[in-house]
C-alpha cells in the first residue's frame, strides 16, 4: 500500500501546482474551467465508482479500470491540439476521480481485517494495528513532495512526467492482491440511509469549506509568489516544506489518535485562519515559506480527522462508498468552489483578494466544525 500512495501522489505534485503556467504557455483557453473539470466530474462519478467497488467487492479491479482511463486522458492532454485538450482532461477526470478514495478504502479495509484478527489474539492487541493508516498515508505526501521537487527544478515537462508516472501506477496496480471482503453485498437502500445521516452531511460540509480554499491556493500559489516578487524556486521550496511538515504529522498519527477527531477538525480549521492571513499580507519569501509550513498541519491533521470521522459513521460493507462521499465533498464540491472561485478572482482582481476571501472561509469552517460530533466506530 505505501507504493500505491506514493505513485498516486507523485503525478499530482508534477501536474497541478504548475498547470496554470503550462496552459498559459501553450495558449490554451478557459484555464479556470479546465482546472475545475476534475472536481466537477468527481462530484458525479466518484460516488458511482465507490458504490461499484463495494458492490463488486473487488476494489482493485475497479481501481485498475479507473487509472488506465486517466492514463488515456493524460495522453490526450499531452498530444492533442489546444482546442481539444478539454477532451483529454475529461477522460483524465473520470478516471482519476476515485483513486484517492479507493486507496483509502482498501487500506482501511485491510486494517479492519487485521484488527479483527488481532482481537482474537491476546498477544497481538488491536491497538497495534489501529494507528497504521497515518504511517501508510504519509507515502502519498512523500510522493507529492517528490513530484513537486522534480518539476520545481525541471519546469516544462510536468504533464509528460506526470503521464509517465501514472502509467507506472497503472502497471503497479496489476501486482496488488485482491483484498477478500467477507461481508454481505451492500444494497442501494444502505447508501440511501447513509446519505440521510445529518451528522455525516455536516462533516462533509465542513470538510468541503476547509478544503476549497486549500485547493484554490495550490493552483495559484506559484502565480501569487510571482505577483509579490518571490521566485518560483522559493515558492517551490515553500511547497516542499509544507509537505515535509505534513509527512511529520502523518508519522504522529498514533499520538493524534488520542484526541477526538472532531476536536482535531476544529484545530485544523482554526489554524488555517492565520495561514491565509499570512499569505494575504506576504511580501517576502520567508512569509510564503512560513505559511506553507503551517499547511502541513492544517492539511495533515485535517485529513486524519475527517477520514476517521467518516469511517466511524460508515458500515464496513460501504467503506468505499463512505470514502468516495468524502472525496466528493472535498475534491469535488469544495474543489469546484475553490479552484473556479480562485480563477475568477485572480482573473478579475488579484491573488491577494483570493487569500482575503480564504480567510473568511476558514472562519466559517471553524465555526461550523465546532458543531461536529464524533460517533464511535461502527466497524
Amino acid at each position: 500500500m505505501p507504493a500505491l500512495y506514493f505513485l498516486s501522489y507523485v503525478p499530482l505534485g508534477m501536474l497541478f501546482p504548475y498547470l496554470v503556467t503550462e496552459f498559459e504557455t501553450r495558449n490554451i483557453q478557459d484555464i479556470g474551467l479546465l482546472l475545475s473539470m476534475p472536481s466537477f466530474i468527481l462530484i458525479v462519478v466518484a460516488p458511482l465508482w465507490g458504490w461499484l467497488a463495494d458492490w463488486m467487492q473487488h476494489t482493485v479491479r475497479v481501481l485498475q479500470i479507473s487509472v488506465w482511463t486517466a492514463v488515456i486522458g493524460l495522453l490526450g492532454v499531452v498530444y492533442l491540439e489546444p482546442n481539444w485538450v478539454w477532451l483529454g482532461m475529461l477522460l483524465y477526470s473520470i478516471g482519476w476521480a476515485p483513486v484517492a478514495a479507493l486507496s483509502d478504502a482498501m487500506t482501511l479495509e485491510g486494517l479492519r481485517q487485521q484488527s479483527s484478527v488481532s482481537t482474537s489474539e491476546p498477544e497481538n492487541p488491536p491497538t497495534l494495528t489501529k494507528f497504521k493508516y497515518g504511517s501508510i498515508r504519509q507515502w502519498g505526501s512523500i510522493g507529492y513532495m517528490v513530484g513537486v521537487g522534480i518539476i520545481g527544478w525541471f519546469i516544462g515537462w510536468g504533464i509528460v512526467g506526470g503521464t509517465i508516472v501514472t502509467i507506472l501506477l497503472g502497471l503497479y496496480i496489476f501486482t496488488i492482491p485482491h483484498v477478500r471482503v467477507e461481508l454481505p453485498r451492500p444494497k442501494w437502500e444502505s447508501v440511501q440511509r447513509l446519505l440521510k445521516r445529518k451528522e455525516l452531511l455536516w462533516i462533509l460540509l465542513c470538510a468541503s469549506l476547509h478544503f476549497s480554499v486549500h485547493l484554490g491556493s495550490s493552483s495559484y500559489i506559484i502565480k501569487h509568489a510571482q505577483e509579490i516578487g518571490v521566485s518560483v524556486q522559493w515558492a517551490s521550496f515553500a511547497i516542499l516544506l509544507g509537505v515535509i511538515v505534513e509527512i511529520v504529522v502523518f508519522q504522529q498519527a498514533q499520538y493524534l489518535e488520542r484526541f477526538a477527531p472532531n476536536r482535531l477538525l476544529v484545530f485544523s480549521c482554526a489554524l488555517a485562519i492565520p495561514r491565509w492571513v499570512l499569505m494575504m499580507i506576504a511580501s517576502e519569501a520567508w512569509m510564503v515559506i512560513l505559511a506553507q509550513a503551517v499547511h502541513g498541519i492544517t492539511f495533515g491533521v485535517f485529513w486524519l480527522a475527517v477520514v476517521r470521522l467518516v469511517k466511524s459513521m460508515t458500515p464496513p460493507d460501504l467503506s468505499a462508498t463512505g470514502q468516495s462521499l468524502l472525496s466528493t465533498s472535498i475534491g469535488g464540491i469544495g474543489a469546484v468552489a475553490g479552484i473556479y472561485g480562485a480563477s475568477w478572482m485572480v482573473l478579475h482582481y488579484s491573488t491577494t483578494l483570493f487569500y482575503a476571501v480564504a480567510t473568511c472561509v476558514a472562519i466559517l469552517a471553524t465555526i461550523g466544525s465546532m458543531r461536529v460530533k464524533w460517533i464511535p466506530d461502527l466497524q
Side-chain angles (χ1 to χ4, degrees):
M1 286 304 178
L4 173 62
Y5 280 96
F6 181 82
L7 291 174
S8 297
Y9 282 83
V10 167
L12 295 182
M14 299 177 74
L15 291 173
F16 285 96
Y18 304 92
L19 274 180
V20 173
T21 54
E22 292 206 18
F23 281 169
E24 287 178 344
T25 301
R26 295 171 60 184
N27 295 318
I28 295 174
Q29 303 300 313
D30 299 319
I31 293 177
L33 182 60
L34 290 175
L35 292 177
S36 302
M37 186 179 291
S39 302
F40 275 115
I41 299 301
L42 188 146
I43 294 173
V44 178
V45 304
L48 299 178
W49 282 114
W51 163 250
L52 180 63
D54 283 330
W55 185 81
M56 290 180 61
Q57 298 185 336
H58 205 311
T59 305
V60 174
R61 181 65 53 78
V62 175
L63 191 59
Q64 290 169 351
I65 298 171
S66 69
V67 168
W68 282 103
T69 302
V71 169
I72 295 173
L74 283 177
L75 290 173
V77 173
V78 172
Y79 293 108
L80 290 176
E81 294 296 322
N83 290 339
W84 290 97
V85 166
W86 67 268
L87 180 59
M89 284 295 291
L90 176 63
L91 287 175
Y92 168 76
S93 301
I94 293 172
W96 197 258
V99 172
L102 295 184
S103 299
D104 281 341
M106 286 195 300
T107 300
L108 294 172
E109 175 60 24
L111 295 179
R112 186 191 69 82
Q113 293 185 12
Q114 285 185 10
S115 181
S116 299
V117 172
S118 300
T119 302
S120 60
E121 299 177 3
E123 68 278 4
N124 185 22
T127 53
L128 294 179
T129 60
K130 182 179 179 180
F131 308 114
K132 286 184 178 178
Y133 173 78
S135 63
I136 297 173
R137 175 58 181 78
Q138 69 172 323
W139 284 98
S141 301
I142 294 172
Y144 186 83
M145 180 178 66
V146 170
V148 171
I150 291 174
I151 196 59
W153 289 104
F154 302 102
I155 295 177
W157 57 277
I159 295 179
V160 176
T163 302
I164 294 172
V165 177
T166 306
I167 292 173
L168 294 176
L169 170 64
L171 295 174
Y172 170 75
I173 293 175
F174 285 118
T175 69
I176 299 177
H178 169 51
V179 178
R180 187 176 182 83
V181 180
E182 300 291 347
L183 294 168
R185 179 167 289 179
K187 298 180 180 180
W188 182 248
E189 290 76 10
S190 301
V191 178
Q192 293 177 318
R193 287 195 297 270
L194 185 65
L195 291 173
K196 292 179 180 179
R197 299 197 64 175
K198 294 182 179 179
E199 300 90 346
L200 176 62
L201 295 178
W202 191 256
I203 292 171
L204 298 180
L205 174 62
C206 294
S208 178
L209 281 173
H210 177 78
F211 208 70
S212 62
V213 288
H214 164 80
L215 287 181
S217 176
S218 296
S219 297
Y220 281 93
I221 182 174
I222 298 296
K223 190 173 183 66
H224 180 65
Q226 292 174 328
E227 287 187 0
I228 63 177
V230 175
S231 68
V232 172
Q233 286 73 22
W234 278 118
S236 297
F237 174 77
I239 296 172
L240 285 173
L241 180 61
V243 179
I244 291 172
V245 175
E246 179 184 314
I247 293 168
V248 173
V249 170
F250 282 128
Q251 290 176 339
Q252 300 302 312
Q254 182 170 351
Y255 172 76
L256 293 173
E257 287 272 3
R258 301 175 185 177
F259 300 93
N262 56 328
R263 300 305 178 196
L264 294 177
L265 179 60
V266 173
F267 172 75
S268 60
C269 290
L271 189 59
I273 298 173
R275 176 195 174 190
W276 301 131
V277 169
L278 189 56
M279 286 295 290
M280 179 180 63
I281 66 175
S283 58
E284 299 181 22
W286 70 266
M287 302 175 77
V288 175
I289 292 171
L290 178 59
Q292 279 301 112
V294 176
H295 152 83
I297 302 174
T298 59
F299 175 77
V301 175
F302 161 79
W303 193 264
L304 291 173
V306 292
V307 167
R308 188 177 168 196
L309 283 167
V310 172
K311 175 178 176 291
S312 71
M313 297 185 181
T314 307
D317 58 339
L318 291 176
S319 177
T321 302
Q323 294 305 315
S324 295
L325 290 173
L326 175 60
S327 179
T328 299
S329 68
I330 59 179
I333 298 172
V336 166
I339 297 176
Y340 198 72
S343 298
W344 184 86
M345 280 182 275
V346 171
L347 177 63
H348 292 88
Y349 298 98
S350 66
T351 53
T352 300
L353 176 64
F354 163 72
Y355 285 109
V357 174
T359 302
C360 298
V361 173
I363 293 173
L364 290 176
T366 302
I367 295 173
S369 64
M370 292 178 180
R371 294 186 56 187
V372 171
K373 298 180 180 180
W374 178 39
I375 300 176
D377 286 2
L378 297 174
Q379 306 184 39

